[in-house]
């Protein structure tokens, strides 16, 4: 059955998964055949929205959503509910489903918690809802009133969310298809929703004073998941109610810190404090963050923010050098004495001897160079203290290779000479043929006879 060319109206129910889609024609034609039940319903018909009894086909949400997405929709109402079905599936794919209890005490699922962007997107979608998509008149109102588009869209999203997790073979609440009375769990469902709304994302901010020997501080920050851009230091959640953060955000912050401490154990120090405001870091912990811990935390959704003025562009390269000799002698003149050294550069400019000495003597992961703080990984600091990487890599190490080449050349020449000698020994020459010919004379007598 194709419903994209017919008007589609959604009618909510309790529980939400019992809601139905009414497929009908504004021109009064018969509804299309296919799944569902043919019915007569009272709908607000165009052009003036007067209630009238029209033939329609009643389709469940579980059956209607695949039909809405099966092909292109030419009717505005069908196109709208197809877009709403995509929005519902998008939210479900992100895991935004919450258990709830309906007003009549039955189990249900609803979409949530929604972010500000989700709510703005749904508000724009509701503003585009055509009249035929909400043509079921509100009971008891004269003249006829149509349902609120934002409320009706949310009811449809909840109906799709309540349909997806169901299993025909299940028998327990929130899994079985038939309604299950769970009125006694209403408070529990409310606490789950409150905790989900208060969920936060953790980030870490490193601070460093403009003095060489002050320790680094690690400050925990809380981001509200449902409101992108809203953040505060976690300590503010303990001192007072932070604007924009619900009361349950404190517990959510502790859960996020506990999860982050499993990834990087030094964060357990924040959990041990009465107020998890800041953690004083040792130099080794700063190095650990810079060399891998920050990447592991980011993979778990915990971003690490370094100071804006911290320079991380210190690089190293290998260079060959020849020692200075009295009376000259350049690189090509003395190949046997070449040595490999490390050259450290900041933004491509090599460090001066004074800067290398400062780097070698600092023994800290951050050093003040060229009016800025520079992050120094341990390997680069070691190369600053031990700039010589290898000795005579092009000299004595190369001589055995050259001697081996000469030996191989001599062996090849010897083999060629031996081969020529053996070939000459076995080849019959003209002289030997005459010497062994019948009647041939040899020696001086032969020559005299000739």
């Amino acid at each position: 059955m194709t419903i994209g060319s017919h008007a589609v109206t959604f009618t909510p129910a309790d529980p939400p998964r019992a809601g139905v889609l009414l497929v009908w024609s504004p021109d009064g034609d018969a509804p299309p055949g296919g799944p569902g039940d043919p019915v007569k319903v009272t709908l607000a018909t165009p052009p003036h929205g007067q209630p009238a009894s029209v033939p329609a086909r009643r389709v469940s949400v579980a059956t209607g959503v695949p039909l809405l997405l099966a092909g292109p929709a030419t009717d505005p109402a069908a196109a709208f509910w197809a877009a709403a079905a995509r929005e519902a599936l998008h939210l479900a794919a992100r895991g935004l489903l919450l258990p709830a209890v309906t007003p009549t005490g039955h189990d249900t699922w609803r979409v949530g918690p929604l972010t500000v962007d989700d709510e703005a997107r749904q508000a724009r979608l509701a503003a585009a809802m055509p009249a035929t998509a909400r043509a079921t008149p509100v009971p008891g109102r004269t003249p006829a009133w149509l349902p609120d588009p934002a409320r009706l869209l949310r009811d449809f999203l909840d109906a799709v969310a309540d349909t997806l997790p169901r299993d025909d073979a299940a028998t327990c609440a929130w899994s079985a298809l038939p309604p299950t009375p769970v009125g006694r769990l209403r408070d529990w469902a409310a606490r789950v929703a409150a905790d989900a709304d208060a969920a936060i994302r953790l980030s870490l901010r490193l601070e460093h004073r403009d003095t060489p020997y002050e320790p680094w501080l690690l400050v925990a920050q809380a981001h509200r998941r449902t409101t992108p851009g809203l953040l505060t230091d976690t300590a503010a959640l303990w001192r007072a109610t932070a604007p924009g953060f619900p009361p349950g955000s404190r517990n959510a912050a502790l859960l996020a810190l506990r999860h982050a401490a499993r990834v990087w154990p030094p964060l357990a120090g924040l959990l041990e404090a009465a107020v998890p405001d800041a953690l004083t870091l040792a130099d080794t912990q700063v190095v650990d963050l810079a060399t891998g811990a920050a990447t592991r935390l980011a993979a778990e959704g915990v971003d690490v923010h370094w100071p804006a003025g911290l320079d991380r562009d210190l690089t190293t390269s290998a260079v060959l050098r020849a020692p200075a000799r009295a009376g000259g002698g350049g690189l090509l003149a003395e190949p046997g004495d070449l040595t490999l050294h490390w050259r450290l550069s900041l933004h491509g400019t090599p460090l001066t001897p004074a800067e290398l000495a400062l780097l070698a003597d600092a023994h800290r992961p951050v050093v003040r160079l060229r009016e800025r703080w520079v992050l120094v990984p341990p390997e680069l600091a070691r190369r600053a203290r031990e700039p010589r990487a290898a000795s005579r890599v092009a000299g004595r190490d190369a001589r055995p290779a050259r001697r081996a080449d000469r030996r191989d050349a001599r062996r090849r020449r010897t083999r060629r000479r031996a081969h020529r000698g053996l070939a000459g020994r076995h080849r019959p020459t003209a002289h030997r043929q005459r010497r062994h010919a019948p009647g041939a004379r040899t020696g001086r007598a032969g020559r005299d006879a000739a």
Side-chain angles (χ1 to χ4, degrees):
M1 182 177 82
T2 302
I3 63 175
S5 59
H6 295 75
V8 179
T9 299
F10 174 68
T11 302
D14 185 347
R17 59 186 177 278
V20 296
L21 293 170
L22 300 174
V23 184
W24 57 287
S25 174
D27 299 329
D29 297 336
D37 302 322
V39 293
K40 279 276 191 177
V41 292
T42 299
L43 299 175
T45 58
H48 304 294
Q50 294 297 327
S53 178
V54 298
R57 182 166 293 277
R58 184 169 56 198
V59 182
S60 66
V61 172
T63 303
V65 168
L67 296 176
L68 288 170
L69 303 177
T74 57
D75 185 89
F80 173 84
W81 288 118
R86 295 187 186 94
E87 173 70 11
L89 296 177
H90 171 68
L91 297 175
R94 290 164 52 195
L96 300 181
L97 300 178
L98 291 173
V101 179
T102 68
T104 57
H106 296 115
D107 64 312
T108 185
W109 291 92
R110 66 178 182 88
V111 295
L114 302 179
T115 67
V116 173
D117 293 339
D118 295 332
E119 294 175 350
R121 187 174 60 254
Q122 293 171 21
R124 293 191 298 268
L125 184 60
M129 183 183 293
T132 51
R134 53 189 183 108
T136 303
V138 177
R141 302 300 296 265
T142 304
W145 279 43
L146 300 183
D148 177 71
R151 180 67 260 173
L152 188 62
L153 174 61
R154 184 59 182 266
D155 289 339
F156 177 78
L157 298 178
D158 289 343
V160 176
D162 194 27
T163 302
L164 294 175
R166 303 293 170 174
D167 188 353
D168 293 338
T171 58
C172 58
W174 288 285
S175 295
L177 189 59
T180 304
V182 290
R184 66 188 185 281
L185 299 177
R186 193 182 301 275
D187 293 340
W188 168 82
R191 289 195 302 271
V192 171
D195 292 342
D197 184 61
I200 68 168
R201 180 177 62 85
L202 190 69
S203 68
L204 304 173
R205 184 181 75 247
L206 280 94
E207 295 181 351
H208 186 262
R209 296 181 177 86
D210 198 17
T211 56
Y213 301 108
E214 289 291 335
W216 283 72
L217 294 180
L218 186 69
V219 181
Q221 300 178 135
H223 304 250
R224 190 176 179 189
R225 291 187 178 274
T226 58
T227 310
L230 182 62
L231 76 156
T232 184
D233 291 351
T234 54
L237 302 177
W238 269 257
R239 298 192 182 101
T241 302
F245 286 84
S249 299
R250 182 183 299 182
N251 293 334
L254 288 174
L255 291 175
L257 280 172
R258 187 176 295 115
H259 175 72
R262 296 192 189 103
V263 181
W264 195 52
L267 291 176
L270 290 173
L271 294 171
E272 296 171 357
V275 176
D277 48 1
L279 183 66
T280 301
L281 297 181
D283 288 348
T284 56
Q285 293 171 338
V286 177
V287 172
D288 190 20
L289 281 173
T291 56
T295 304
R296 296 195 303 271
L297 287 168
E300 297 296 328
V302 182
D303 296 330
V304 178
H305 303 287
W306 295 87
L310 184 65
D311 200 321
R312 307 179 68 180
D313 199 23
L314 185 65
T315 58
T316 182
S317 58
V319 295
L320 289 173
R321 293 179 183 175
R325 293 180 179 272
L331 180 63
L332 297 179
E334 298 290 342
D337 293 329
L338 293 178
T339 56
L340 184 65
H341 288 251
W342 296 116
R343 174 187 291 168
L344 276 70
S345 303
L346 185 61
H347 293 285
T349 304
L351 299 185
T352 64
E355 291 172 337
L356 283 174
L358 178 63
L359 196 66
D361 295 339
H363 296 283
R364 298 207 68 192
V366 177
V367 177
R368 188 75 173 177
L369 291 176
R370 301 177 186 176
E371 302 301 325
R372 69 186 73 182
W373 290 106
V374 180
L375 183 65
V376 184
E379 181 63 19
L380 270 64
R382 184 187 64 81
R383 292 176 179 179
R385 290 188 290 270
E386 301 174 5
R388 191 168 180 173
S391 62
R392 298 183 180 181
V393 294
R396 293 181 180 176
D397 294 339
R399 289 174 184 172
R402 289 198 296 269
R403 287 196 295 268
D405 291 341
R406 287 195 294 269
R407 286 195 299 269
D408 291 341
R410 286 197 298 269
R411 291 192 189 100
R412 286 193 297 270
R413 289 195 297 269
T414 303
R415 283 196 294 268
R416 286 196 297 268
R417 291 168 184 165
H419 179 73
R420 287 197 298 267
L422 291 174
R425 180 178 301 174
H426 294 285
R427 184 171 58 247
T429 62
H431 172 71
R432 291 175 179 173
Q433 291 174 358
R434 289 194 304 269
R435 182 178 180 182
H436 295 89
R441 296 180 179 181
T442 62
R444 183 173 181 179
R447 288 194 298 268
D448 294 342

